[in-house]
Amino acid sequence: MLLRAYGIARSLVMYYGVPGKHRRARRLYGEFIGPGDVAFDIGAHVGGRVRVWRGLGVRVVAVEPQPDCLRVLRLLYGRDDGTAIVPEAVGAEPGHARLAVSSATPTVSSMSPGWISSVASDRSFARVRWDESVEVEVTTLDDLIARHGVPAFCKIDVEGFEADVLRGLTRPVPALSFEYVPSAHDAGLEVLRIVERLGAEAGGYVYNYSPVETMRLASERWLDAATLEKRLERIRPRGRSGDVYARLKR
Protein backbone atom coordinates (compact mmCIF):
# COMPACT_ATOMS: atom_id res chain seq x y z
CA MET A 1 0.00 0.00 0.00
CA LEU A 2 2.82 2.43 0.87
CA LEU A 3 4.58 1.63 -2.41
CA ARG A 4 1.41 2.32 -4.38
CA ALA A 5 0.85 5.60 -2.53
CA TYR A 6 4.45 6.61 -3.26
CA GLY A 7 4.00 5.79 -6.95
CA ILE A 8 0.87 7.91 -7.29
CA ALA A 9 2.40 10.80 -5.32
CA ARG A 10 5.44 10.69 -7.59
CA SER A 11 3.21 10.85 -10.67
CA LEU A 12 1.24 13.80 -9.30
CA VAL A 13 4.46 15.74 -8.73
CA MET A 14 5.73 14.80 -12.20
CA TYR A 15 2.59 15.92 -14.04
CA TYR A 16 1.32 18.75 -11.85
CA GLY A 17 4.33 20.08 -9.97
CA VAL A 18 6.87 21.09 -12.63
CA PRO A 19 6.98 24.91 -13.07
CA GLY A 20 6.36 26.06 -16.62
CA LYS A 21 5.34 22.66 -17.92
CA HIS A 22 1.62 23.46 -17.97
CA ARG A 23 2.23 26.64 -19.94
CA ARG A 24 4.41 24.85 -22.49
CA ALA A 25 1.83 22.08 -22.82
CA ARG A 26 -0.94 24.59 -23.55
CA ARG A 27 1.15 26.10 -26.35
CA LEU A 28 1.97 22.68 -27.80
CA TYR A 29 -1.52 21.21 -27.75
CA GLY A 30 -3.04 24.50 -28.84
CA GLU A 31 -1.60 23.72 -32.27
CA PHE A 32 -3.93 20.72 -32.54
CA ILE A 33 -7.07 21.36 -30.48
CA GLY A 34 -9.31 24.18 -29.33
CA PRO A 35 -12.72 24.99 -27.84
CA GLY A 36 -15.43 22.49 -28.77
CA ASP A 37 -13.04 19.79 -30.01
CA VAL A 38 -12.97 16.25 -28.66
CA ALA A 39 -9.63 14.71 -27.64
CA PHE A 40 -8.83 11.15 -26.57
CA ASP A 41 -6.26 10.61 -23.81
CA ILE A 42 -5.39 6.91 -24.15
CA GLY A 43 -3.38 6.14 -21.05
CA ALA A 44 -4.60 9.15 -19.09
CA HIS A 45 -2.72 8.12 -15.93
CA VAL A 46 -3.38 10.87 -13.32
CA GLY A 47 -4.77 13.40 -15.78
CA GLY A 48 -1.89 15.73 -16.59
CA ARG A 49 -3.07 16.09 -20.20
CA VAL A 50 -6.71 16.27 -19.10
CA ARG A 51 -5.94 19.39 -17.09
CA VAL A 52 -4.23 21.06 -20.06
CA TRP A 53 -6.90 20.14 -22.59
CA ARG A 54 -9.80 21.23 -20.40
CA GLY A 55 -8.05 24.57 -20.03
CA LEU A 56 -8.17 24.84 -23.82
CA GLY A 57 -11.93 24.27 -23.82
CA VAL A 58 -11.66 20.72 -25.17
CA ARG A 59 -14.01 17.86 -24.29
CA VAL A 60 -11.79 15.03 -23.04
CA VAL A 61 -12.23 11.28 -23.12
CA ALA A 62 -9.77 10.03 -20.49
CA VAL A 63 -9.11 6.30 -20.86
CA GLU A 64 -7.23 4.57 -18.03
CA PRO A 65 -7.41 0.99 -16.68
CA GLN A 66 -5.19 1.28 -13.57
CA PRO A 67 -7.37 1.29 -10.43
CA ASP A 68 -5.19 3.72 -8.43
CA CYS A 69 -4.99 6.18 -11.34
CA LEU A 70 -8.74 5.93 -11.84
CA ARG A 71 -9.28 7.00 -8.23
CA VAL A 72 -7.21 10.12 -8.86
CA LEU A 73 -8.99 10.89 -12.14
CA ARG A 74 -12.39 10.55 -10.51
CA LEU A 75 -11.32 12.71 -7.58
CA LEU A 76 -10.00 15.49 -9.84
CA TYR A 77 -12.37 15.30 -12.82
CA GLY A 78 -15.28 13.08 -11.84
CA ARG A 79 -17.65 16.06 -11.49
CA ASP A 80 -16.49 17.74 -14.70
CA ASP A 81 -19.14 17.44 -17.41
CA GLY A 82 -16.45 18.03 -20.04
CA THR A 83 -14.46 14.96 -19.05
CA ALA A 84 -15.59 11.39 -19.73
CA ILE A 85 -13.56 8.89 -17.68
CA VAL A 86 -13.40 5.44 -19.30
CA PRO A 87 -12.12 2.71 -16.91
CA GLU A 88 -10.77 0.47 -19.67
CA ALA A 89 -7.69 -0.30 -21.70
CA VAL A 90 -7.64 0.05 -25.49
CA GLY A 91 -6.55 -2.66 -27.90
CA ALA A 92 -7.06 -4.30 -31.28
CA GLU A 93 -10.38 -5.83 -30.29
CA PRO A 94 -12.78 -5.76 -27.33
CA GLY A 95 -12.30 -8.24 -24.51
CA HIS A 96 -10.11 -8.62 -21.44
CA ALA A 97 -6.34 -8.59 -20.89
CA ARG A 98 -3.73 -8.63 -18.16
CA LEU A 99 -2.03 -5.38 -17.19
CA ALA A 100 1.41 -5.65 -15.56
CA VAL A 101 1.55 -2.91 -12.93
CA SER A 102 4.62 -1.25 -11.46
CA SER A 103 3.49 -0.02 -8.04
CA ALA A 104 6.37 2.41 -7.53
CA THR A 105 6.39 3.70 -11.13
CA PRO A 106 2.82 3.34 -12.41
CA THR A 107 3.65 5.36 -15.55
CA VAL A 108 5.35 2.26 -17.00
CA SER A 109 2.58 -0.27 -16.32
CA SER A 110 2.07 -2.21 -19.54
CA MET A 111 0.04 -4.85 -21.34
CA SER A 112 2.96 -5.71 -23.63
CA PRO A 113 5.29 -8.47 -22.31
CA GLY A 114 7.55 -7.92 -25.34
CA TRP A 115 7.96 -4.23 -24.52
CA ILE A 116 8.74 -5.02 -20.89
CA SER A 117 11.45 -7.44 -22.04
CA SER A 118 12.91 -4.83 -24.40
CA VAL A 119 13.15 -2.01 -21.87
CA ALA A 120 14.34 -4.21 -19.00
CA SER A 121 17.90 -3.89 -20.34
CA ASP A 122 17.67 -0.08 -20.44
CA ARG A 123 19.58 1.58 -17.59
CA SER A 124 16.75 4.08 -17.06
CA PHE A 125 14.46 1.14 -16.25
CA ALA A 126 16.98 -0.62 -13.99
CA ARG A 127 14.97 -0.07 -10.80
CA VAL A 128 11.54 -0.71 -12.30
CA ARG A 129 9.69 -3.79 -11.07
CA TRP A 130 6.37 -4.97 -12.46
CA ASP A 131 5.17 -6.42 -9.17
CA GLU A 132 1.40 -6.72 -9.71
CA SER A 133 -1.00 -7.87 -12.38
CA VAL A 134 -4.66 -6.99 -12.87
CA GLU A 135 -7.27 -8.06 -15.39
CA VAL A 136 -8.74 -5.13 -17.29
CA GLU A 137 -11.54 -4.64 -19.77
CA VAL A 138 -10.45 -3.71 -23.28
CA THR A 139 -12.24 -1.53 -25.81
CA THR A 140 -11.11 -0.19 -29.22
CA LEU A 141 -10.61 3.24 -30.73
CA ASP A 142 -13.41 2.52 -33.19
CA ASP A 143 -15.75 1.80 -30.28
CA LEU A 144 -14.68 4.98 -28.48
CA ILE A 145 -15.36 6.99 -31.65
CA ALA A 146 -18.80 5.41 -31.90
CA ARG A 147 -19.50 6.52 -28.31
CA HIS A 148 -17.85 9.94 -28.21
CA GLY A 149 -17.27 11.13 -31.77
CA VAL A 150 -14.13 11.56 -33.88
CA PRO A 151 -11.32 13.15 -31.85
CA ALA A 152 -9.43 16.12 -33.23
CA PHE A 153 -6.43 14.71 -31.37
CA CYS A 154 -5.63 11.30 -29.88
CA LYS A 155 -2.75 10.83 -27.44
CA ILE A 156 -1.56 7.22 -27.11
CA ASP A 157 0.85 6.50 -24.27
CA VAL A 158 0.45 2.86 -23.25
CA GLU A 159 4.00 1.57 -22.77
CA GLY A 160 4.56 -0.60 -25.82
CA PHE A 161 0.92 -1.39 -26.58
CA GLU A 162 0.53 1.48 -29.07
CA ALA A 163 0.47 -0.77 -32.15
CA ASP A 164 -2.35 -2.84 -30.67
CA VAL A 165 -4.29 0.33 -29.88
CA LEU A 166 -3.99 1.54 -33.48
CA ARG A 167 -5.03 -1.84 -34.88
CA GLY A 168 -8.44 -1.11 -33.37
CA LEU A 169 -8.78 2.01 -35.53
CA THR A 170 -10.06 1.81 -39.11
CA ARG A 171 -10.06 5.50 -40.05
CA PRO A 172 -7.51 8.30 -39.80
CA VAL A 173 -7.95 11.00 -37.15
CA PRO A 174 -6.79 14.58 -37.77
CA ALA A 175 -3.85 14.39 -35.34
CA LEU A 176 -2.34 11.97 -32.84
CA SER A 177 0.74 11.25 -30.79
CA PHE A 178 2.45 8.07 -29.65
CA GLU A 179 5.32 7.36 -27.31
CA TYR A 180 8.76 6.42 -28.62
CA VAL A 181 11.32 4.57 -26.46
CA PRO A 182 14.81 3.99 -27.97
CA SER A 183 15.27 0.61 -26.26
CA ALA A 184 12.05 -0.51 -28.00
CA HIS A 185 12.98 1.14 -31.31
CA ASP A 186 11.46 -1.53 -33.56
CA ALA A 187 8.12 -1.25 -31.76
CA GLY A 188 8.13 2.49 -32.43
CA LEU A 189 8.77 1.94 -36.14
CA GLU A 190 5.92 -0.57 -36.26
CA VAL A 191 3.58 2.08 -34.87
CA LEU A 192 4.85 4.60 -37.42
CA ARG A 193 4.05 2.21 -40.28
CA ILE A 194 0.53 1.64 -38.98
CA VAL A 195 -0.03 5.40 -38.78
CA GLU A 196 1.25 5.74 -42.35
CA ARG A 197 -1.24 3.14 -43.57
CA LEU A 198 -4.10 4.83 -41.72
CA GLY A 199 -3.28 8.22 -43.19
CA ALA A 200 -2.78 7.06 -46.78
CA GLU A 201 -6.47 7.33 -47.67
CA ALA A 202 -6.63 10.92 -46.39
CA GLY A 203 -3.54 12.37 -48.06
CA GLY A 204 -1.00 11.19 -45.51
CA TYR A 205 0.50 12.41 -42.23
CA VAL A 206 3.45 14.65 -41.47
CA TYR A 207 5.45 14.21 -38.26
CA ASN A 208 7.39 15.89 -35.50
CA TYR A 209 9.02 14.75 -32.27
CA SER A 210 9.14 16.05 -28.70
CA PRO A 211 11.79 14.76 -26.24
CA VAL A 212 10.32 13.33 -23.06
CA GLU A 213 8.00 15.76 -21.25
CA THR A 214 9.69 18.89 -22.69
CA MET A 215 6.43 19.89 -24.40
CA ARG A 216 8.42 21.35 -27.29
CA LEU A 217 8.63 20.10 -30.87
CA ALA A 218 12.18 19.23 -31.86
CA SER A 219 11.94 20.18 -35.54
CA GLU A 220 11.10 23.60 -36.95
CA ARG A 221 9.39 21.92 -39.89
CA TRP A 222 7.12 18.91 -40.16
CA LEU A 223 8.70 15.78 -41.60
CA ASP A 224 7.69 12.85 -43.77
CA ALA A 225 7.90 9.34 -42.30
CA ALA A 226 11.25 8.48 -43.89
CA THR A 227 12.90 11.63 -42.50
CA LEU A 228 11.39 11.05 -39.06
CA GLU A 229 12.73 7.49 -39.06
CA LYS A 230 16.24 8.81 -39.79
CA ARG A 231 15.90 11.31 -36.94
CA LEU A 232 14.84 8.55 -34.53
CA GLU A 233 17.80 6.43 -35.65
CA ARG A 234 20.10 9.37 -34.95
CA ILE A 235 18.81 10.02 -31.42
CA ARG A 236 18.51 6.32 -30.60
CA PRO A 237 22.04 5.99 -29.08
CA ARG A 238 21.28 8.82 -26.65
CA GLY A 239 18.51 6.73 -25.11
CA ARG A 240 16.12 9.65 -24.80
CA SER A 241 12.47 8.75 -25.20
CA GLY A 242 9.69 11.11 -26.22
CA ASP A 243 6.51 11.50 -28.21
CA VAL A 244 5.99 11.42 -31.96
CA TYR A 245 3.29 13.80 -33.23
CA ALA A 246 1.40 13.21 -36.47
CA ARG A 247 -1.10 15.41 -38.25
CA LEU A 248 -2.83 15.03 -41.58
CA LYS A 249 -1.34 17.14 -44.35
CA ARG A 250 -3.15 20.43 -44.74
Side-chain angles (χ1 to χ4, degrees):
M1 182 65 73
L2 287 176
L3 197 60
R4 287 165 56 192
Y6 165 79
I8 290 296
R10 182 174 178 271
S11 292
L12 287 169
V13 171
M14 183 188 309
Y15 291 106
Y16 291 89
V18 179
K21 183 176 179 180
H22 181 74
R23 185 170 58 253
R24 294 194 304 272
R26 282 179 62 94
R27 283 198 299 266
L28 173 62
Y29 288 110
E31 295 189 25
F32 304 101
I33 48 180
D37 285 336
V38 176
F40 287 1
D41 189 353
I42 310 301
H45 199 51
V46 293
R49 299 300 192 274
V50 179
R51 176 193 180 201
V52 174
W53 297 353
R54 289 297 293 135
L56 292 170
V58 174
R59 291 188 295 117
V60 180
V61 179
V63 186
E64 176 56 58
Q66 292 190 66
D68 288 342
C69 294
L70 279 169
R71 292 186 186 96
V72 175
L73 286 172
R74 286 167 174 153
L75 177 65
L76 297 178
Y77 305 105
R79 297 182 181 179
D80 179 11
D81 292 338
T83 301
I85 299 171
V86 180
E88 297 171 308
V90 181
E93 56 186 27
H96 293 82
R98 300 298 299 184
L99 173 69
V101 177
S102 174
S103 299
T105 50
T107 54
V108 296
S109 298
S110 175
M111 294 201 305
S112 173
W115 182 85
I116 291 173
S117 297
S118 294
V119 302
S121 60
D122 190 324
R123 285 182 299 175
S124 62
F125 286 81
R127 296 184 179 181
V128 176
R129 298 292 180 270
W130 288 269
D131 53 342
E132 293 185 27
S133 176
V134 295
E135 184 174 279
V136 297
E137 189 172 349
V138 180
T139 187
T140 68
L141 284 176
D142 278 347
D143 286 346
L144 288 171
I145 288 173
R147 282 186 258 168
H148 301 282
V150 178
F153 185 85
C154 179
K155 185 216 90 179
I156 307 170
D157 186 351
V158 290
E159 311 308 312
F161 210 65
E162 286 82 2
D164 293 80
V165 170
L166 286 166
R167 289 190 183 102
L169 177 66
T170 56
R171 60 189 295 176
V173 295
L176 59 88
S177 69
F178 61 89
E179 186 182 33
Y180 167 76
V181 178
S183 54
H185 179 75
D186 290 342
L189 295 187
E190 181 184 7
V191 176
L192 178 60
R193 293 182 183 112
I194 295 172
V195 174
E196 276 287 276
R197 288 198 296 270
L198 282 168
E201 65 183 68
Y205 283 103
V206 289
Y207 302 90
N208 215 316
Y209 175 83
S210 176
V212 60
E213 294 300 321
T214 59
M215 300 297 168
R216 293 189 178 99
L217 296 177
S219 176
E220 292 182 358
R221 63 184 183 87
W222 288 78
L223 315 169
D224 60 24
T227 305
L228 173 69
E229 187 169 338
K230 290 177 184 176
R231 293 280 182 96
L232 295 180
E233 286 282 4
R234 198 158 65 223
I235 66 173
R236 184 181 182 185
R238 304 176 198 169
R240 196 174 190 191
S241 61
D243 295 297
V244 172
Y245 288 81
R247 72 180 187 199
L248 289 173
K249 294 176 183 177
R250 292 172 181 171

